[in-house]
Amino acid sequence: MQILKDWRQVIEQQAKETKSYLLNAKETARNYEHSSRTKSEIGFNVFTISSDLYYRENFHSDIIKAFLDPNEKHGEGNKFLNAFIHLLNKCNPQRNLNPSDFENSRVSREENNIDILISDSNSGKAILIENKIYNAIDQQRQIPRYFEIVSENYSVEAIVYLTLTSSKYLNQNDWTNDEIENINPLIYFVPSYNLGSTNLFDNWIVPSIIECNNSESLFILRQYGNLIKFLNTNSMDTITLEKFYLTLKESDNLRTSLSVRNMLNDLPEYLAIRIEGKYKGKCYPFKSIWRYKSRDAVFEAFELENLYLKMDIWCSEKGYKVHFWNSKDEHYDIKVNLPFVLSLKDFNYEGDNKSNVEKHFGFNEEELLFEFIDNLLLELKEFKNQPVSNLVIEKHD
């Protein structure tokens, strides 16, 4: 008895640890699922074809600068620059930058090592863009140094910290308290693409595409937008896996993860065992219930005259796939010949095979599945108990 008591305590403790681990890993798992779902293909793209440096920051800075510069050959004047300012205003409506302050802007690359500098000598105002799309580290006091240099001649209205994803943060460990106080209000964090928040793709590239009249510029913007989405969505797996890796290194999380993986592998068989256990000896008018390949609960042999029906319930970690079918007559139309079996009204044909109808039940819908089975068994009993003269059973040769 003491052995059983000790073993029960071990199981309860392991279940408690597993539950705590799953709760902590929930956000990481959700991010991984989202990134896998939104992962994109680049397709036929001029940037990936023409260069293998399309992920580098200088590459992106050159493209962004070319569109922001009113004097470039896109022929659209301040249109793209104004769209960029609208993006910043969407990031921080309280500051509300005025596009008219940048009507006579000069846009430069690598001036005093600043990735992109937008400056207007008439208004005396400037915008700094620090490009971290390649996830480069922050150099020592990088932003404060740039701010100090530009502030000698201009009023710095915005410092744009451009990143590939929203997971990168600005390192301010070597900033003074005064620098944090004076510079932080000017910083705009802009990810290249991020569902649900302001980002470069949705709030600058897309509006620029809509407003663009130059066909060549329009083509380049579309191609660049595709590149940005591709780089962003295909980098999220790496970021999420890095977080997961660090989590695995904590305490016994690796052992717990391996146990969870093994339990998930065994889960479909357990789900099938639950179905078999519930209906063992209670599956009439089917003759028997058994398991095929461990995870398929089979209700075998509903026989009436020349009719032979069965039901397979395939179990997986995602739920249950129910097949109700005539295994001996592929021409038998389940829905046409069994219209009175209302339990099957939400089922669909398996492709073009009308002798097999199917429906999916989610993992958390076991009670609904059992309710369906109970109703189906009841309806089939009533069908089987009808006088033979009332039955219409088609036979196909």
Side-chain angles (χ1 to χ4, degrees), residues 70 78 87 111 129 138 146 166 187 190 199 211 235 250 280 324 343 356 360 366:
N78 285 54
L87 155 68
E111 184 175 338
I129 301 177
D138 296 309
Y146 295 165
S166 58
I187 296 176
V190 180
N199 61 82
E211 294 295 324
S235 72
E250 298 175 5
K280 197 78 170 179
F324 186 82
S343 300
N356 189 335
H360 179 265
E366 185 188 58

Side-chain angles (χ1 to χ4, degrees), residues 297-314:
V298 182
F299 288 73
E300 185 70 58
F302 173 89
E303 295 180 289
L304 185 61
E305 298 292 312
N306 53 21
L307 185 62
Y308 189 99
L309 301 174
K310 62 190 297 186
M311 178 168 64
D312 289 70
I313 304 177
W314 284 94

Side-chain angles (χ1 to χ4, degrees), residues 134-156:
Y134 190 45
N135 205 33
I137 62 172
D138 296 309
Q139 300 173 25
Q140 186 176 14
R141 296 187 61 256
Q142 187 175 23
I143 299 299
R145 285 190 287 108
Y146 295 165
F147 175 78
E148 183 179 343
I149 292 171
V150 177
S151 294
E152 292 178 0
N153 300 302
Y154 299 94
S155 170
V156 177

Side-chain angles (χ1 to χ4, degrees), residues 25-53:
K26 192 172 183 179
E27 182 180 357
T28 302
R30 188 185 296 115
N31 290 339
Y32 183 77
E33 181 182 2
H34 171 72
S35 65
S36 299
R37 190 170 59 249
T38 58
K39 188 178 292 186
S40 65
E41 293 294 334
I42 187 62
F44 190 76
N45 189 277
V46 65
F47 297 113
T48 57
I49 292 172
S50 60
S51 174
D52 59 357
L53 303 178

